[in-house]
């Protein structure tokens, strides 16, 4: 019996971790406790394992070095930066301004409010990267308006919940940061690879609403004229867009001989800046050249677009590394909040507290994962996983299909951070052995993980919406009519079509890798490094930052005792 346990320690250890998690223990402590428990068992059973177990007591002394490697990982600094940026923008009322203005712009057409929610969801995803903030903000602001003007409750719930989950896949997503770190790929490459699939996904949501507006127009009615408080003036807006487009093209033609392919991004930036200056001049100098609607759309849209450029544009241009882009985004969010005169000490304190809480949560999971991996690699768990997955039928596509299905079902119980730090590192070696492009693989995993926010009854996005959706009949604040509540069943029913769209997008990326691989930058992304103060010891330089990566000395099945 002891020999059987010793020679099959890896699957027993993995199954025990699953049991720990199913009992509801915190993930970080479950990982660490599981790792230490099986370390003790592994040391005692090593003589009976026939060389399978390579653990001894001195190896435990490497834990501080492994913790240091992760704490000195520059990439992870992007997480608190982007989290802080998202919270400041959400608390400063940017989501409210965007939803109100874009809703007025699209209001006259059937499904206009739904289109507005999808567009604002994509913009919030590209500026905040926080699903909870997006869903709650849109649920509080848009859901009452959609219900007031006759939207079907299932459609309204599904559109809001799914648009909020775009924060999972639209750069600068926190999920993509963690996946890039765990897959040991460049963040700029995975950002560029995810950009087109994320835009196609948002467009697929809009196509679904468009088809619904044709089949069931009563589900997505247009805003009545009395609700369009910004008036008309779309023609004026089109003129401004045309002027900005001409200016962008002229700037592109002027800059292209000097800077090459990057001229298109800078040209668009200059065209948008011109439109913003024109709108401000028209409003404050009372020139009367633009309609009130056109003014409001330009003034509300350009700042978040500028912030997106500040973060993503500098990364794609190679000017800044993702960590530096996150720092600029955080600074930009503070500047926007100050410009809107909404920056208060209370807002700043809330943003810092929430950022510290999320960062501590992530770091504790990472530390638990390092303890778990020390033992798991010492019992050759990485080889067990590799042999198990490489032998799957179907080659590359069989591997991708199996892993996607596995992650989809594990997402019922684990959130994306837990999946990224526990499961993803175990997939790297098998994926490399098969020859899979890790950036493409990471985008597929991100799309599948996105469904974890949408599948009933476990999806976090559905719970976020449930927390702000009306549970009891209420009197509408504008019309005074008695409105019926939104039931949990309606939220779940509304989520299913959008979850299927997400899965279809994952399948499309799997079948057409060029959606990702053609967008990868040819030049290396900007790099950054930090000089950390000495801790008084002689620790070796930090190694690869993968959460469950093999500790030094565990590449061979035996011989650890001497090292």
């Amino acid at each position: 019996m002891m020999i059987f346990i010793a020679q099959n320690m890896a699957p027993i250890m993995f199954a025990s971790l699953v049991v720990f998690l199913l009992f509801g223990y915190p993930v970080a402590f479950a990982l660490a406790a599981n790792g230490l428990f099986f370390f003790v068992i592994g040391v005692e059973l090593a003589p009976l394992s026939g060389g399978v177990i390579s653990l001894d007591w001195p190896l435990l002394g490497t834990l501080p070095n492994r913790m240091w490697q992760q704490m000195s990982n520059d990439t992870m600094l992007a997480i608190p930066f982007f989290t802080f940026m998202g919270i400041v923008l959400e608390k400063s009322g940017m989501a409210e301004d965007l939803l109100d203005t874009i809703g007025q712009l699209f209001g006259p057409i059937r499904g206009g409010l739904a289109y507005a929610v999808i567009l604002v969801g994509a913009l919030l995803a590209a500026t905040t990267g926080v699903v909870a903030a997006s869903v709650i903000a849109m649920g509080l602001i848009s859901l009452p308006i959609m219900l007031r003007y006759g939207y079907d409750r299932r459609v309204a719930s599904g559109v809001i919940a799914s648009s909020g989950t775009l924060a999972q896949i639209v750069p600068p997503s926190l999920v993509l940061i963690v996946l890039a770190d765990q897959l040991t790929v460049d963040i700029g490459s995975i950002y560029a690879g995810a950009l087109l699939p994320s835009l196609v996904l948002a467009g697929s949501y809009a196509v679904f609403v468009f088809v619904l507006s044709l089949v069931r127009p009563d589900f997505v009615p247009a805003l009545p004229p009395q609700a369009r408080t910004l008036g008309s003036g779309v023609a004026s807006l089109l003129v401004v867009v045309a002027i900005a487009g001409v200016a962008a093209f002229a700037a592109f033609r002027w800059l292209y001989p000097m800077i090459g392919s990057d001229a298109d991004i800078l040209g668009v930036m200059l065209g948008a800046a011109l439109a913003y200056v024109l709108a401000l001049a028209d409003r404050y100098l009372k020139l009367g050249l633009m309609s009130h609607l056109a003014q409001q759309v330009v003034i509300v849209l350009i700042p978040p677009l500028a912030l997106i450029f500040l973060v993503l544009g500098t990364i794609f241009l190679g000017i800044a590394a993702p960590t530096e882009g996150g720092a600029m985004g955080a600074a930009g969010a503070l500047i926007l909040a100050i410009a809107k005169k909404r920056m208060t000490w209370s807002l700043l304190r809330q943003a810092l507290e929430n950022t510290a809480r999320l960062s501590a949560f992530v770091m504790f999971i990472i530390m638990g994962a390092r303890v778990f991996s020390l033992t798991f690699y010492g019992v050759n768990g990485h080889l067990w996983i590799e042999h198990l997955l490489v032998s799957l039928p179907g080659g590359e596509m069989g591997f991708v299909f199996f892993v996607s299905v596995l992650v989809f079902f594990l997402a019922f119980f684990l959130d994306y951070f837990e999946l990224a730090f526990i499961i993803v590192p175990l997939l790297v070696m098998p994926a490399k052995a098969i020859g899979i492009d890790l950036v493409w693989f990471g985008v597929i995993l991100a799309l599948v993980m996105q469904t974890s926010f949408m599948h009933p009854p476990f999806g976090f996005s559905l719970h976020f919406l449930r927390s702000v959706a009306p549970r009891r009949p209420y009197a509408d604040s504008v019309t005074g009519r008695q409105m019926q509540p939104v039931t949990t069943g309606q939220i779940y029913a509304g989520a299913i079509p959008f979850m299927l769209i997400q899965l279809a997008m994952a399948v499309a990326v799997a079948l057409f890798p060029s959606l990702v691989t053609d967008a990868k930058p040819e030049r290396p992304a900007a790099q950054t490094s930090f000089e950390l103060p000495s801790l008084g010891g002689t620790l070796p330089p930090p190694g690869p930052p993968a959460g469950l990566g093999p500790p030094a000395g565990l590449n061979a099945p035996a011989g650890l005792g001497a090292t």
Side-chain angles (χ1 to χ4, degrees):
M1 183 65 176
M2 291 296 102
I3 296 176
F4 174 81
I5 294 175
Q7 294 180 347
N8 294 275
M9 183 75 77
I12 294 173
M13 184 178 179
F14 193 80
S16 299
L17 175 63
V18 173
V19 172
F20 266 85
L21 296 176
L22 290 177
F23 272 106
Y25 288 101
V27 173
F29 302 125
L31 284 166
N34 197 276
L36 291 174
F37 177 72
F38 279 95
F39 186 94
V40 174
I41 296 176
V43 170
E44 297 300 323
L45 296 184
L48 305 177
S49 67
V52 173
I53 299 177
S54 302
L55 295 173
D56 58 13
W57 292 113
L59 187 63
L60 208 59
T62 66
L63 273 179
N65 184 34
R66 289 171 63 75
M67 300 298 181
W68 168 255
Q69 289 177 5
Q70 198 61 59
M71 295 298 180
S72 59
N73 178 11
D74 302 341
T75 303
M76 288 300 175
L77 279 174
I79 292 178
F81 285 142
F82 285 125
T83 303
F84 179 81
M85 178 180 73
I87 294 171
V88 169
L89 290 175
E90 186 261 329
K91 299 292 184 183
S92 65
M94 186 190 73
E96 183 176 353
D97 294 342
L98 282 170
L99 283 167
D100 180 60
T101 303
I102 305 302
Q104 293 285 323
L105 177 63
F106 289 104
I109 62 176
R110 284 200 300 257
L113 286 176
Y115 296 136
V117 168
I118 293 169
L119 177 58
V120 172
L123 289 173
L124 291 178
T127 49
T128 67
V130 181
V131 173
S134 298
V135 174
I136 290 174
M138 292 191 294
L140 287 171
I141 300 165
S142 291
L143 185 59
I145 300 174
M146 298 172 88
L147 298 182
R148 178 183 306 147
Y149 297 113
Y151 269 68
D152 182 84
R153 283 163 168 72
R154 293 165 297 179
V155 175
S157 300
V159 168
I160 292 173
S162 61
S163 299
T165 64
L166 290 173
Q168 292 291 98
I169 188 64
V170 175
S173 160
L174 298 183
V175 174
L176 296 178
I177 295 173
V178 176
L179 283 176
D181 178 69
Q182 298 303 297
L183 293 170
T184 63
V185 298
D186 176 62
I187 297 181
S189 296
I190 204 169
Y191 274 3
L195 188 59
L196 181 57
S198 63
L199 294 177
V200 173
L201 181 60
S204 300
Y205 292 166
V207 169
F208 174 76
V209 173
F210 175 73
V211 172
L212 199 61
S213 69
L214 299 178
V215 177
R216 295 298 302 267
D218 56 311
F219 278 16
V220 285
L223 279 179
Q226 64 270 20
R228 302 170 200 167
T229 56
L230 292 181
S232 58
V234 175
S236 175
L237 179 62
L238 293 177
V239 171
V240 174
V241 172
I243 293 173
V246 171
F249 181 73
F252 167 76
R253 294 293 300 271
W254 176 58
L255 292 170
Y256 186 79
M258 294 181 283
I259 62 176
S261 60
D262 294 336
D264 53 355
I265 298 178
L266 293 177
V268 171
M269 181 187 71
L270 292 174
L274 175 62
Y276 191 65
V277 170
L278 289 175
L280 288 178
D282 190 64
R283 169 172 290 187
Y284 293 107
L285 298 179
K286 303 187 184 304
L287 301 177
L289 301 176
M290 300 168 60
S291 67
H292 181 51
L293 176 65
Q295 279 183 7
Q296 186 69 10
V297 169
V298 172
I299 291 173
V300 168
L301 267 183
I302 297 301
L305 291 176
L307 192 62
I308 292 171
F309 170 78
L310 187 65
V311 176
L312 297 181
T314 54
I315 294 173
F316 291 157
L317 290 173
I319 299 172
T323 302
E324 296 167 335
M328 290 192 295
L334 286 174
I335 293 172
L336 284 181
I338 293 171
K340 290 176 176 288
K341 299 180 180 179
R342 293 172 179 172
M343 173 55 67
T344 64
W345 285 112
S346 175
L347 186 154
L348 185 61
R349 184 176 64 253
Q350 289 181 50
L352 291 173
E353 288 176 353
N354 291 336
T355 301
R357 188 178 296 111
L358 178 65
S359 302
F361 167 75
V362 172
M363 294 311 298
F364 267 100
I365 291 179
I366 292 174
M367 290 190 288
R370 301 300 270 184
V371 177
F372 179 85
S373 67
L374 180 72
T375 303
F376 194 71
Y377 280 83
V379 299
N380 278 337
H382 58 302
L383 297 180
W384 170 68
I385 293 287
E386 183 176 348
H387 293 158
L388 183 68
L389 296 179
V390 170
S391 60
L392 290 170
E396 180 180 286
M397 292 307 299
F399 174 82
V400 170
F401 175 78
F402 175 82
V403 168
S404 299
V405 172
L406 175 66
V407 170
F408 176 75
F409 284 106
L410 287 176
F412 288 8
F413 313 104
L414 303 176
D415 71 14
Y416 60 94
F417 278 126
E418 294 159 357
L419 286 169
F421 289 120
I422 298 173
I423 302 300
V424 172
L426 301 177
L427 305 175
V428 175
M429 294 178 66
K432 286 182 177 179
I434 296 174
I436 290 176
D437 185 304
L438 292 182
V439 172
W440 171 66
F441 184 51
V443 173
I444 294 174
L445 289 179
L447 286 165
V448 175
M449 286 183 186
Q450 186 184 10
T451 65
S452 69
F453 278 81
M454 286 297 291
H455 51 58
F458 307 100
F460 289 107
S461 184
L462 309 182
H463 296 305
F464 296 147
L465 182 59
R466 174 70 281 173
S467 68
V468 297
R471 295 176 179 269
R472 299 179 180 84
Y474 66 98
D476 183 74
S477 58
V478 174
T479 64
R481 290 189 292 119
Q482 188 75 2
M483 306 294 294
Q484 294 302 310
V486 177
T487 66
T488 301
Q490 289 169 338
I491 294 176
Y492 289 170
I496 291 174
F498 292 93
M499 184 189 72
L500 295 177
I501 293 173
Q502 292 172 349
L503 291 175
M505 191 66 234
V507 172
V509 171
L511 294 177
F512 303 101
S514 59
L515 289 171
V516 173
T517 55
D518 287 354
K520 290 163 60 177
E522 296 179 0
R523 64 179 179 278
Q527 300 294 323
T528 184
S529 60
F530 296 88
E531 292 294 331
L532 297 173
S534 172
L535 296 183
T538 57
L539 292 175
L548 290 178
L554 284 185
N555 293 323
L560 275 175
T563 59

